[in-house]
Amino acid sequence: MKVLVLGSGVIGITSAWYLAKAGHDVTVIDRQPGPALETSFANAGMISPGYSAPWAAPGVPVKAIKWLLAKHAPLAVRPTADLSQYRWVLQMLMQCNGNSYAVNKSRMMRLAEYSRDCLIDLRRQTGLDYEHRELGTLQVFRTQKQMDAAAKDIAVLQECGVPFEVLDRAGCIAAEPGLANSAEKIVGGLRLPRDETGDCHLFTTRLAQQCETLGVKFRYGVAIDELLSDGQRISGVRVGDKAITADRYVLALGSYSPQLLKPLGINLPVYPVKGYSMTAPVADANVAPISTIMDETYKIAITRFNDRIRVGGMAELAGFDTKLRARPQGTLRMVLDDLFPGAGHSEQASYWTGLRPMTPDGTPVVGATKLTNLFLNTGHGTLGWTMSCGSAQLLADLISGSKTSISTEGFDLRRYQSSQQARPSVHPVPAH
């Protein structure tokens, strides 16, 4: 079958890879001149199934109010005239209860753990190198209250069979020796030894090259204007005054996906959550991190590449604004220098911001729609790379009519629809 993938970020490129591996004739189109030039360009560098958790959690509304008043706040809200901003916030707040959190985290863990296995297999097949490290993730706690609160996440890790280590201060320093210079600022941590790190842009770019060896065609610099439909199926994608046609269509345009779906009567509750990162050259390898450290207080991740340190995080609700603001940049520098003083050349750092496509419940939307040949792979939030391979393999199986390796429950749009609007998660597909 001819499959058209809309979007060349890490979600679009992995979708193309697994669809091509399944034998489909795949074309990728994107407005950018190359792959992974937006949200996938300079993310935090984490592949962290064990850290997969929804932002909507018990206690978050109260925390959010405190964060908004803090100098180095992990959250900022800039009101817009877009009503979807307020609807999305309301939907997220409705998920901030214990039952919803448990359901959403379990779904996310299911997909993330599967995705890790798919990534390992992909790496084995391709030999892809993207400055990756397989040294785990360390979540550091600055207060005993944070340590105690981690018990709920630990219970889910146990239920899902995910290995973990609860560490005291000395254990954290043993795992990340660079923390010795800031030992008095932490009380302990939670280490997830199976998590990985790497450069997402490098991964996506090199996987796109591998896709070409499978016959995948790329059309860059092409603005996608409209999805053409007869109400039952997609008849083509309008680009300027032309239409590109295929048998199946995959929408993997991140935060921009809802704009194309709305005229079709499909409401996709994905909102852009702006994140920031800085990348600094390593100044002293002896005191630099060796993998990823997540600072629970500021919700900032510090990740080691070969000769660079990536610091990423923050959540800014500001619509599609991509302006780099001074205060978040200062927070990123502060966290790096606070936990790993002297590790990086902060004065030489480069800064980036991107729009992470977030659903209210944290789980991405992967699967079919009411239009029989339109499939979605979007809404991964801060876990796009973590969940990319699993989401793409799952999608390829659905499009191919193959049996999926994990349950698809809770991944498609039906969780946001009434029973009258719901559609089957898999449509019959002819052999290709």
Side-chain angles (χ1 to χ4, degrees):
M1 277 189 304
K2 291 179 63 177
V3 182
L4 189 61
V5 177
L6 312 183
S8 67
V10 68
I11 300 298
I13 297 300
T14 51
S15 296
W17 168 262
Y18 286 102
L19 285 164
K21 290 288 285 184
H24 300 293
D25 180 3
V26 182
T27 298
V28 178
I29 61 176
D30 196 288
R31 67 183 179 183
Q32 294 292 344
L37 292 178
E38 292 195 26
T39 304
S40 303
F41 182 71
N43 68 14
M46 300 170 62
I47 307 168
S48 187
Y51 200 68
S52 298
W55 286 17
V60 163
V62 174
K63 288 181 181 178
I65 294 173
K66 295 178 180 178
W67 287 335
L68 291 174
L69 301 174
K71 178 181 178 181
H72 293 293
L75 172 68
V77 178
R78 302 185 185 280
T80 70
D82 183 4
L83 292 179
S84 65
Q85 180 185 40
Y86 306 98
R87 284 196 298 268
W88 185 89
V89 170
L90 180 60
Q91 285 178 292
M92 192 195 80
L93 291 175
M94 291 175 65
Q95 296 287 324
C96 293
N97 60 79
N99 290 338
S100 296
Y101 180 81
V103 170
N104 295 333
K105 184 172 176 67
S106 293
R107 287 173 177 167
M108 295 171 71
M109 292 283 294
R110 185 195 336 147
L111 184 56
E113 285 289 305
Y114 174 58
S115 190
R116 185 205 64 247
D117 295 340
C118 291
L119 172 61
I120 292 171
D121 187 57
L122 183 152
R123 195 165 56 230
R124 188 181 301 118
Q125 291 179 41
T126 63
L128 216 59
D129 179 26
Y130 42 91
E131 296 191 24
H132 67 280
R133 297 182 176 215
E134 302 169 50
L135 299 172
T137 296
L138 176 62
Q139 182 182 9
V140 295
F141 305 117
R142 293 175 182 256
T143 68
Q144 187 59 45
K145 185 177 180 180
Q146 291 174 345
M147 282 282 290
D148 296 339
K152 295 178 181 178
D153 285 335
I154 290 172
V156 178
L157 294 173
Q158 290 174 321
E159 182 180 344
C160 296
V162 178
F164 65 90
E165 301 169 1
V166 178
L167 305 176
D168 59 12
R169 179 182 293 161
C172 290
I173 295 171
E176 282 286 353
L179 288 172
N181 292 326
S182 58
E184 75 285 353
K185 296 175 181 177
I186 62 175
V187 299
L190 175 64
R191 183 170 180 267
L192 304 167
R194 294 169 69 182
D195 286 0
E196 302 183 12
T197 61
D199 186 327
C200 184
H201 176 255
L202 192 57
F203 169 85
T204 309
T205 301
R206 290 183 173 175
L207 184 60
Q209 295 169 353
Q210 294 277 344
C211 284
E212 290 180 333
T213 68
L214 296 180
V216 176
K217 296 173 283 293
F218 292 91
R219 296 184 61 177
Y220 295 119
V222 176
I224 301 164
D225 297 311
E226 182 183 9
L227 299 180
L228 305 173
S229 171
D230 60 9
Q232 300 296 318
R233 58 189 286 112
I234 298 296
S235 56
V237 176
R238 184 172 69 81
V239 293
D241 57 357
K242 298 180 180 179
I244 304 175
T245 61
D247 300 311
R248 298 288 184 270
Y249 301 82
V250 175
L251 187 58
L253 287 172
S255 299
Y256 297 91
S257 301
Q259 299 173 1
L260 289 172
L261 293 173
K262 188 175 182 180
L264 305 177
I266 298 175
N267 178 31
L268 175 66
V270 166
Y271 190 79
V273 176
K274 185 177 176 182
Y276 291 80
S277 77
M278 65 173 274
T279 306
V282 172
D284 185 345
N286 293 320
V287 298
I290 62 173
S291 190
T292 287
I293 295 84
M294 172 61 72
D295 187 329
E296 176 62 17
T297 298
Y298 300 102
K299 306 295 184 182
I300 298 290
I302 305 173
T303 299
R304 173 70 179 274
F305 295 160
N306 286 356
D307 55 4
R308 297 169 294 152
I309 300 173
R310 173 72 51 77
V311 188
M314 320 298 292
E316 193 172 292
L317 304 182
F320 290 87
D321 169 32
T322 56
K323 180 181 178 181
L324 275 169
R325 301 184 185 277
R327 179 175 288 187
Q329 294 179 54
T331 299
L332 297 175
R333 288 193 302 271
M334 182 278 294
V335 171
L336 174 61
D337 294 339
D338 193 48
L339 288 180
F340 294 94
H345 287 294
S346 297
E347 74 285 357
Q348 299 177 27
S350 59
Y351 295 88
W352 168 90
T353 186
L355 304 176
R356 299 167 297 197
M358 201 75 124
T359 61
D361 60 14
T363 307
V365 180
V366 183
T369 68
K370 68 177 184 179
L371 301 178
T372 57
N373 60 345
L374 175 63
F375 292 77
L376 305 181
N377 194 4
T378 187
H380 296 75
T382 59
L383 296 164
W385 192 14
T386 294
M387 295 183 174
S388 61
C389 291
S391 298
Q393 178 65 77
L394 192 67
L395 185 81
D397 289 338
L398 292 173
I399 290 177
S400 303
S402 303
K403 182 179 179 181
T404 61
S405 297
I406 61 171
S407 168
T408 61
E409 183 278 323
F411 292 149
D412 63 24
L413 264 177
R414 289 183 296 177
R415 71 182 190 269
Y416 291 113
Q417 298 170 328
S418 67
S419 58
Q420 288 77 16
Q421 295 173 305
R423 294 294 187 274
S425 60
V426 181
H427 299 295
V429 179
H432 56 273

